Amino acid sequence: MFRLYLEGAGSAGAALGPVVSAMAGLTIVAGNLMAIPQKNVKRLLAYSGVAHIGYMLMGVAAMSATAPAWCCFI
């Protein structure tokens, strides 16, 4: 995913930064808000997973072509 984001997108990768940031924020907020009223544990864990994807997207949004990509694999 990192390689596609940094190398595959080319110059459009810089334009995707705000989009990925917005998606991260949206999934964090929506996943947590939808998890609050759940009484079913399976649904609660599913919405928690949605929120965790948002936290992962925050790392992708913070990455740039000048930052070392290998630091994520240590």
Side-chain angles (χ1 to χ4, degrees), residues 19-53:
V19 174
V20 175
S21 298
M23 284 177 33
L26 181 68
T27 56
I28 290 170
V29 171
N32 285 322
L33 287 179
M34 289 189 292
I36 291 172
Q38 295 302 319
K39 304 238 186 291
N40 188 347
V41 175
K42 287 183 183 180
R43 287 188 183 182
L44 175 81
L45 290 174
Y47 287 126
S48 175
V50 170
H52 279 82
I53 293 296

